[in-house]
Amino acid sequence: SDQYAQVAERAVLEVSGRDASEFLQGMQCNSMRLVDQGGPGMLAGFLLPQGRMLADAFIYPKNAGVNFPHPVFLVEVDAHVKQRLLKTLQFYKLRAQIGIRDVSSEYDVWSVWGPGSAALVGSQGQPISHVPRGSLVFKGETSAVADVWLSDVRAPEMGLRLLLPSHKAPSLPGGFEQRGSDDYKLRRILKGVAEGSSDFVADVSVPLECNMDYMRGVHFNKGCYVGQELTIRTHHRGVVRKRIVPVIYSPAQSSHSAENAHMRIDRSFPQTQLPAPQADIVRVAEQAPADAKAGVQQPSRVRKVPPGKTGSAICNAGLALMRLEHVEQHLAQPAAAVLQTVGADGTPLVVSPWWPSWWPASAA
């Protein structure tokens, strides 16, 4: 069905000035040529000089003004990394003719999805005279829903993403139903879409481990940018041993099989039992058979090197940065490759990962 929801815990920075496009071109891993003439925004990633993730972000051209297109861009990021990213941009500003300011209080972020969301986008074949080409519009009408927007191409059926003035809900057709921000979060997690600092290991993960390449957030032919060397080297070597995948959590004493665990979403799952972000996921070998003489079972053996780290979670679903070999082994033999973590309240949890259906066939 057609639905929409406000996206929580997001911040917005504004970068403006004649050097804004070139400055941002050198600061993140996607190409500003995709957005510097206006229209929809794009996914991007800001990296440290060592090539590790600092923040995933969306960059939007500000589609307004009498001299459109003009060099004003809005950078949407996780609110928890806003100050660090702002400080980083100001550090690299040097003599660039740009202004950088925090405009988080001026905007809210919304997600719109469902079969009807595609019908909200205008096209070159249906121009509207007073709305910039590429703006989001109602078909057959002349009023714009949002000047600042993008098609969320991170995964199929993610819909549209809008930046609207604060405290202003999108004006959508009557068939759209408003949902809570948790509904958007659950939907994103089940599709295996990473978003925000909870879904990657800060200062450690690289963009390809966060699926930025699969989600069209990396441009491999754009030229130099901060953190480029490790990203390009990883891409050309073609070896990515870890990626973020969706998982389901269940109590360790549960009688349910790990098979098809991703089909069971428990909205009543105690949120206090969910693991904190970046908790270790360990592999537990099959339990040794009972000692016939002593009549007791030997303790399970746990591997020393954790095969994964937890990310964001809601209900009994979450994302996790996992070594791909362990995911493959778990899917092949769930009972022989048991993965576990510990909830925030100390509850042991079984972790059941699966491959997102939209990944390239060669990846799964």
Side-chain angles (χ1 to χ4, degrees):
S1 62
D2 294 329
Q3 300 175 345
Y4 66 103
Q6 187 171 350
V7 184
E9 299 184 319
R10 303 299 289 177
V12 182
L13 304 177
E14 181 184 89
V15 181
S16 61
R18 68 182 187 184
D19 295 337
S21 180
E22 287 304 317
F23 174 75
L24 289 172
Q25 177 76 349
M27 289 300 301
Q28 48 78 40
C29 58
N30 212 337
S31 177
M32 289 298 295
R33 303 299 175 259
L34 300 174
V35 299
D36 61 6
Q37 295 302 307
M42 68 179 185
L43 176 66
F46 290 87
L47 313 180
L48 300 173
Q50 300 82 4
R52 308 294 177 172
M53 287 291 295
L54 169 61
D56 61 320
F58 296 97
I59 300 178
Y60 308 82
K62 193 172 182 181
N63 297 328
V66 295
N67 295 320
F68 177 85
H70 57 101
V72 180
F73 299 94
L74 299 173
V75 181
E76 178 210 330
V77 296
D78 183 346
H80 297 95
V81 300
K82 176 190 69 175
Q83 289 299 332
R84 189 178 181 190
L85 179 59
L86 180 60
K87 184 178 179 180
T88 300
L89 295 178
Q90 292 171 337
F91 175 81
Y92 282 101
K93 175 183 175 183
L94 301 177
R95 296 183 179 180
Q97 299 298 304
I98 59 171
I100 306 171
R101 66 189 186 103
D102 180 3
V103 294
S104 302
S105 62
E106 300 177 21
Y107 293 95
D108 288 330
V109 181
W110 295 82
S111 177
V112 182
W113 66 88
S117 62
L120 302 177
V121 180
S123 65
Q124 296 183 24
Q126 295 179 324
I128 296 180
S129 60
H130 66 278
V131 178
R133 188 179 73 186
S135 289
L136 188 67
V137 299
F138 287 154
K139 279 189 174 180
E141 297 186 12
T142 58
S143 60
V145 176
D147 288 325
V148 185
W149 68 285
L150 59 78
S151 293
D152 195 340
V153 297
R154 293 176 296 175
E157 301 177 355
M158 282 296 291
L160 306 174
R161 200 173 183 95
L162 317 178
L163 273 188
L164 293 175
S166 295
H167 311 299
K168 179 182 177 181
S171 179
L172 296 169
F176 282 81
E177 176 188 1
Q178 183 171 358
R179 305 301 296 267
S181 58
D182 285 350
D183 291 282
Y184 164 79
K185 184 176 181 180
L186 177 60
R187 189 171 183 275
R188 172 180 66 81
I189 285 175
L190 293 177
K191 287 183 175 292
V193 174
E195 180 179 296
S197 56
S198 295
D199 285 332
F200 57 83
V201 183
D203 303 344
V204 176
S205 295
V206 298
L208 274 59
E209 292 178 350
C210 301
N211 303 328
M212 294 290 286
D213 52 340
Y214 290 173
M215 299 189 297
R216 307 183 197 180
V218 182
H219 196 289
F220 293 107
N221 301 312
K222 60 169 285 185
C224 298
Y225 56 91
V226 176
Q228 176 200 28
E229 183 178 352
L230 178 61
T231 305
I232 295 300
R233 185 167 70 243
T234 304
H235 170 64
H236 285 297
R237 284 181 175 177
V239 179
V240 181
R241 293 185 174 87
K242 296 180 290 183
R243 284 191 180 271
I244 292 176
V245 298
V247 301
I248 287 293
Y249 299 112
S250 56
Q253 69 274 17
S254 173
S255 60
H256 293 296
S257 167
E259 288 189 74
N260 298 321
H262 63 281
M263 302 300 293
R264 298 191 299 270
I265 306 303
D266 184 2
R267 294 181 179 271
S268 63
F269 192 86
Q271 300 303 283
T272 55
Q273 289 187 12
L274 290 174
Q278 318 314 328
D280 284 343
I281 295 174
V282 299
R283 177 169 172 173
V284 181
E286 279 188 297
Q287 202 166 51
D291 188 312
K293 295 182 179 180
V296 297
Q297 288 186 326
Q298 300 298 320
S300 301
R301 296 174 296 167
V302 179
R303 292 176 179 262
K304 293 182 179 180
V305 180
K309 295 275 189 181
T310 61
S312 60
I314 191 168
C315 298
N316 63 327
L319 294 175
L321 179 65
M322 296 286 302
R323 293 189 67 89
L324 300 182
E325 60 183 287
H326 290 277
V327 178
E328 186 175 357
Q329 292 167 7
H330 172 83
L331 292 175
Q333 293 183 308
V338 179
L339 301 167
Q340 288 190 2
T341 189
V342 178
D345 63 354
T347 302
L349 298 172
V350 172
V351 182
S352 303
W354 74 92
W355 304 123
S357 61
W358 53 271
W359 276 18
S362 58

